[in-house]
Amino acid sequence: MAKKKISLVVLISGGGSNLQAIIDAIKNQQLDAEIKTVISNQVTAGGLDRAALADIETHVVDHKQFPDRQTFDRALVNIIDPLRPDLVVLAGFMRILSDGFIDHFHDRLVNIHPSLLPKYKGLNTHQMAIDNHDAVHGASVHYVSHELDSGPIVIQAEVPVLDSDDKNSLASRVLEQEHKIYPMMLQMVADGRLTFDGEQLNLDNKPLHKPLLWKNNKLST
Ligand code: GRF
């Protein structure tokens, strides 16, 4: 795959700081991408303002207006499909997606999760890392498969857990690293270095058997 500008649709539910990191990386020419639209399931999501400030089209699809998950997901697909994005980017999107949605975008659906997956799927990850006295916590960028917070992981960022940490201080240090690894992963796709066919992740034409590690501001295999 050659280098190209990739097109993205970003799905959010909240503050949208990961969306902002992607917008900033594009502006700073660290990410060769274009955000076609931002979709939120929450009308009050702060990320909608961030998108509007950057002149990006937004949609609100309020899940409460739909009788079931499938109909809600179909409404998302109806917005996304005509835009033909290279990637559908989940950035703090707090809805579980149906198998139909995941199958539809099976080789171009990516997510960021605030833990070193497969540890701590779901919510409350920072408190769990503290309660379990983990020395290291972090975040994972991964392609999405059917099971919640699972699928091939591309990059993991490690963040040390400090004795003084509470869930908020830990969350904010993890979030700082999320803002680095998400644009980084997207740029690997734009560079044509990272490919995924729905089953196999390849980096530089070789299977990526274990996640890349982002630690102390360095990426290693
Ligand atoms: C991030 O920690 C993300 O990993 C998780 O929800 C949080 C959303 O943050 N899924 P933001 O909306 O991008 O600021």
Side-chain angles (χ1 to χ4, degrees):
M1 204 169 115
K3 275 182 185 238
K4 65 167 188 173
K5 184 181 211 165
I6 51 170
S7 62
L8 312 174
V9 167
V10 183
L11 271 58
I12 61 165
S13 298
S17 69
N18 276 293
L19 166 67
Q20 189 67 56
I22 295 167
I23 292 172
D24 292 345
I26 294 172
K27 261 200 211 136
N28 301 335
Q29 302 186 343
Q30 288 160 339
L31 173 56
D32 205 7
E34 177 192 5
I35 301 176
K36 293 273 183 189
T37 202
V38 169
I39 307 175
S40 171
N41 66 308
Q42 297 284 359
V43 69
T44 53
L48 289 169
D49 301 328
R50 296 179 188 270
L53 266 175
D55 278 329
I56 299 165
E57 177 193 271
T58 60
H59 293 265
V60 175
V61 185
D62 177 359
H63 60 277
K64 295 189 288 300
Q65 307 294 323
F66 294 83
D68 53 37
R69 207 179 285 289
Q70 281 71 19
T71 341
F72 169 70
D73 285 2
R74 261 204 303 278
L76 297 179
V77 171
N78 287 342
I79 296 171
I80 299 169
D81 263 357
L83 301 170
R84 301 168 146 271
D86 294 300
L87 290 173
V88 177
V89 177
L90 307 177
F93 185 66
M94 305 303 280
R95 299 293 302 165
I96 292 175
L97 293 160
S98 62
D99 284 350
F101 185 95
I102 292 169
D103 288 339
H104 188 81
F105 295 112
H106 72 291
D107 55 354
R108 51 190 173 127
L109 183 60
V110 293
N111 183 40
I112 189 148
H113 182 74
S115 80
L116 295 172
L117 290 170
K119 264 192 164 179
Y120 312 140
K121 297 176 179 181
L123 300 173
N124 226 2
T125 61
H126 308 298
Q127 190 61 54
M128 286 197 267
I130 291 172
D131 291 348
N132 288 327
H133 305 285
D134 290 354
V136 189
H137 182 46
S140 309
V141 183
H142 64 99
Y143 280 86
V144 173
S145 58
H146 288 144
E147 207 191 305
L148 179 69
D149 295 324
S150 64
I153 302 168
V154 181
I155 308 178
Q156 291 192 311
E158 280 192 6
V159 174
V161 183
L162 309 178
D163 287 344
S164 57
D165 266 330
D166 61 15
K167 67 173 181 187
N168 297 323
S169 60
L170 184 55
S172 83
R173 289 205 319 287
V174 170
L175 206 50
E176 261 175 49
Q177 301 310 312
E178 291 183 39
H179 298 162
K180 297 193 173 147
I181 62 174
Y182 220 172
M184 200 183 289
M185 178 268 172
L186 298 173
Q187 183 56 29
M188 286 177 182
V189 178
D191 276 338
R193 296 185 56 205
L194 181 72
T195 59
F196 182 57
D197 61 7
E199 279 180 22
Q200 179 64 57
L201 260 186
N202 279 293
L203 182 69
D204 298 331
N205 296 315
K206 282 185 239 112
L208 185 66
H209 293 302
K210 64 179 183 48
L212 301 168
L213 179 64
W214 174 251
K215 192 178 168 181
N216 301 327
N217 277 315
K218 267 198 281 189
L219 194 65
S220 57
T221 47

